[in-house]
Amino acid sequence: MRLIGAGTREGFDYTVRRTFWTVPNIVTVLRFLLVPVFIQLALTEELVAAFVVLVVLGGTDWIDGWIARRFDQHSTVGRWLDPLADRLSVAIVAVTLVAVDIAPLWFVLSILVPDAVLAINAAVLFAGSPELAVTALGKVRTAVLMVGAPLVLLARAEVLAGTEWTPIAESVLAAGCLMHILAAVDYLRRAHRQARRLRAQGIDPRDRSRWVAGEQT
């Protein structure tokens, strides 16, 4: 079964809609609305319930992409909304897990520091997002983080307390964090490449009205 790019219809000419009202976008918004629920459950030490919410968060991230590809539901809004929801969700989950002393400090640092560097770089070079396509590494990174975070949470729950799950869970989480750093380096490199390409065409990368969204290779 194909996991990355699941639902892709080979040879199909997809339509990109200029509207918010697509099923994947609605799923994305509903998914992000689960984040406050997770925070509340984590703060009240309802760890099993918080684990379930994180599993749903990760599952719906895969589902909205599958719906978009399988049923031709791509949109210009979805191109930035889904990655933004993913990044914010992961960052908030990381801060919450570290704040309640469930995950180690390196988890949140490895997420927030690269994201801050990318945000500053985008603001300086493009006065906004460079709107680059999400890579396979970025997709795998998100998937691994959304597996590692629930595992760390479950390892601290009473149902698994005292077992050897914590080192395993933290190893998965560390792998996701390493991928996050590598994906950030790749994104930074591609952003600078896009800026150079635009300047070579006589276009100021900060003049967003003059360049087409998305990276051209």
Side-chain angles (χ1 to χ4, degrees), residues 115-172:
D115 283 358
V117 171
L118 292 180
I120 293 170
N121 178 75
V124 171
L125 284 183
F126 298 96
S129 172
E131 300 183 25
L132 300 176
V134 178
T135 63
L137 175 60
K139 293 176 181 178
V140 173
R141 171 272 321 272
T142 300
V144 174
L145 286 174
M146 294 308 289
V147 170
L151 285 179
V152 168
L153 188 62
L154 191 61
R156 294 290 297 271
E158 290 184 2
V159 65
L160 290 179
T163 68
E164 297 302 317
W165 271 95
T166 297
I168 297 173
E170 290 190 356
S171 295
V172 175

Side-chain angles (χ1 to χ4, degrees), residues 3-165:
L3 295 178
I4 297 177
T8 299
R9 299 160 67 179
E10 300 295 342
F12 183 79
D13 187 16
Y14 285 99
T15 301
V16 180
R17 295 170 170 79
R18 296 183 179 276
T19 177
F20 166 81
W21 298 107
T22 65
V23 174
N25 289 344
I26 293 172
V27 172
T28 297
V29 171
L30 293 176
R31 166 162 51 95
F32 191 69
L33 291 177
L34 286 175
V35 174
V37 178
F38 163 76
I39 294 173
Q40 178 63 27
L41 292 172
L43 292 176
T44 56
E45 298 185 353
E46 297 288 341
L47 301 187
V48 175
F51 164 80
V52 172
V53 170
L54 279 189
V55 171
V56 173
L57 274 170
T60 52
D61 180 35
W62 184 86
I63 289 170
D64 60 19
W66 180 82
I67 292 173
R69 290 181 289 269
R70 183 65 182 85
F71 298 103
D72 191 17
Q73 291 275 297
H74 292 277
S75 70
T76 54
V77 174
R79 284 179 173 176
W80 61 263
L81 181 63
D82 184 64
L84 178 63
D86 287 345
R87 301 292 279 275
L88 287 176
S89 297
V90 170
I92 294 171
V93 167
V95 170
T96 302
L97 290 180
V98 172
V100 298
D101 199 27
I102 289 176
L105 180 61
W106 53 257
F107 177 33
V108 72
L109 292 178
S110 65
I111 299 298
L112 296 187
V113 172
D115 283 358
V117 171
L118 292 180
I120 293 170
N121 178 75
V124 171
L125 284 183
F126 298 96
S129 172
E131 300 183 25
L132 300 176
V134 178
T135 63
L137 175 60
K139 293 176 181 178
V140 173
R141 171 272 321 272
T142 300
V144 174
L145 286 174
M146 294 308 289
V147 170
L151 285 179
V152 168
L153 188 62
L154 191 61
R156 294 290 297 271
E158 290 184 2
V159 65
L160 290 179
T163 68
E164 297 302 317
W165 271 95

